[in-house]
Amino acid sequence: MISSLQQQYIGFLNTPQLLFNPDEFPYSNFQLTEVRENLPKDFKMPDSIRLGQRMEVLMEAALSSHRYQILSKNLQVIAKKQTLGELDFIVKDLTLKKTIHLEMVYKFYFYRPELTGSWIDKLIGPNAKDALRFKLNKLKSHQFPILYRTETANYLKTLDLKAEKLLQQMSFKAQIYLPLNHKINEVEISKDPIQGFYFRLEELEFFNKTDFSFYIPSKNDWVSAPILKTTQTDRFSVFYKKINAALKEQRSCMFWVFESDTKVQRHFATWW
């Protein structure tokens, strides 16, 4: 049986990137290729770290292949005892013979068609606190420019690097969920990141059918593709009580819907 960590790793590798035109975001996508498909046998995930940090650990595992050389990870730039920021990865692509400052993001977003603006303005996190527009602005105004700060030069010097010689790229992996009954062809986004729908509590009655069973994965498993056959599922009444309790605490939850041993979907339930 595949371990949960391996399942998370597979899900991470298979999660599509968001695609931006240069006017929307000036940094190109990092193309992760020729990676190891299985985690090393001695792989360990640090305890008690946030989901975003877990994705960085999985990215590090993916980069540990014959094609890439990781020169630096989470390089903190500090001046006068104040942390100015950090560079996620500095990676040497041995095939292309390029050194890359790589920033990485892994996000879950709800598409909110009622909001004004472009598709970027309509993607909001599951608990309504995390907006794609805000994230892109922070990356452009703060995260990527750190490379060119004078304080960073000394750190790069220890790696025998100069900022102007580095290519800056982004890996922005995301899962996007649409409102119930919203048609995919009405969304001005690449279809690949669209994984399912989000439901308010009363809309979950849509699934109250005898041939459906349900599973609520832990947050660490949100990145995983739903696991067939080995998952212990609930009937609708039990599932509904669990979801209702979570939503009362204002916590949006991913859930998996099993229609058969071979067909499964993933969606979100939301409190707002």
Side-chain angles (χ1 to χ4, degrees), residues 214-218 222 234 238-239 242-243 253-256:
F214 307 85
Y215 178 73
I216 303 173
S218 69
W222 285 8
D234 295 319
V238 176
F239 157 74
K242 291 179 179 179
I243 283 289
C253 290
M254 179 184 285
F255 63 94
W256 300 347

Side-chain angles (χ1 to χ4, degrees), residues 45-74:
M45 180 66 72
D47 295 330
S48 304
I49 58 174
R50 295 179 291 104
L51 186 61
Q53 293 172 315
R54 292 176 69 89
M55 298 303 101
E56 290 182 2
V57 175
L58 294 180
M59 174 63 91
E60 183 179 11
L63 290 169
S64 300
S65 74
H66 64 88
R67 173 161 183 167
Y68 304 104
Q69 180 183 0
I70 300 175
L71 303 179
S72 174
K73 178 192 173 189
N74 299 134

Side-chain angles (χ1 to χ4, degrees), residues 109-151:
Y109 286 124
F110 290 177
Y111 180 77
R112 302 280 302 278
E114 73 277 13
L115 299 179
T116 58
S118 73
W119 67 274
I120 291 174
D121 300 292
K122 297 177 181 181
L123 291 183
I124 308 296
N127 289 315
K129 296 178 180 179
D130 190 12
L132 174 57
R133 176 67 70 185
F134 177 82
K135 184 63 178 178
L136 292 181
N137 288 343
K138 185 177 180 181
L139 286 164
K140 288 189 290 186
S141 65
H142 178 72
Q143 201 65 29
F144 278 105
I146 289 174
L147 180 69
Y148 295 101
R149 294 194 61 143
T150 54
E151 296 88 348

